Amino acid sequence: QVQLVESGGGLVQPGGSLRLSCAASGSITSINTMGWYRQAPGKQRELVATITRIGSTNYADSVKGRFTISRDNTKNKVDLQMNSLKPEDAAVYYCNAHTYLAYGGRDYWGLGTQVTVSS
């Protein structure tokens, strides 16, 4: 089992920056991909960015050039640096971990952290 704890959410003005962090614990060696998803009120949860254990990244088109995902395998955490934030970025952001198929190919989720972008 994997436990995920997010931090770093809050209120920021349009054009501002926030850095989200996610710390993983439990069966750390089972994790391949970690990432961030978000869900705004009335909308479906969507992928923001992911990163594999070896560093391959994937970003939603809407955040490319503004967000950067990074990972520290030693500390078992993943960060999301969010710059040039827009009102449409406001959402609850969820940390995700996906395990290798050999470990079941399971998804684990944090409880989410609120990001509000408002002037």
Side-chain angles (χ1 to χ4, degrees):
Q1 298 184 26
V2 175
Q3 296 80 46
L4 303 171
V5 179
E6 303 114 326
S7 62
L11 174 65
V12 65
Q13 295 181 349
S17 298
L18 282 175
R19 188 176 184 90
L20 305 182
S21 296
C22 175
S25 61
S27 301
I28 302 302
T29 56
S30 70
I31 300 173
N32 181 15
T33 304
M34 297 187 70
W36 292 92
Y37 293 70
R38 67 188 182 188
Q39 187 169 24
K43 299 182 66 176
Q44 296 183 15
R45 185 175 298 187
E46 64 177 354
L47 182 149
V48 178
T50 61
I51 183 168
T52 69
R53 184 177 291 272
I54 62 173
S56 297
T57 59
N58 184 43
Y59 295 91
D61 288 341
S62 60
V63 307
K64 288 181 179 178
R66 300 188 298 121
F67 292 9
T68 302
I69 190 169
S70 60
R71 183 170 178 174
D72 187 335
N73 290 328
T74 301
K75 297 181 179 180
N76 303 314
K77 74 185 191 75
V78 61
D79 290 353
L80 184 69
Q81 178 65 47
M82 305 185 294
N83 298 326
S84 302
L85 283 161
K86 305 174 181 179
E88 52 262 44
D89 293 319
V92 176
Y93 283 69
Y94 296 91
C95 182
N96 168 265
H98 186 75
T99 63
Y100 291 97
L101 288 177
Y103 291 90
R106 288 182 280 269
D107 280 299
Y108 296 88
W109 298 92
L111 295 178
T113 185
Q114 178 72 53
V115 172
T116 302
V117 185
S118 176
S119 59

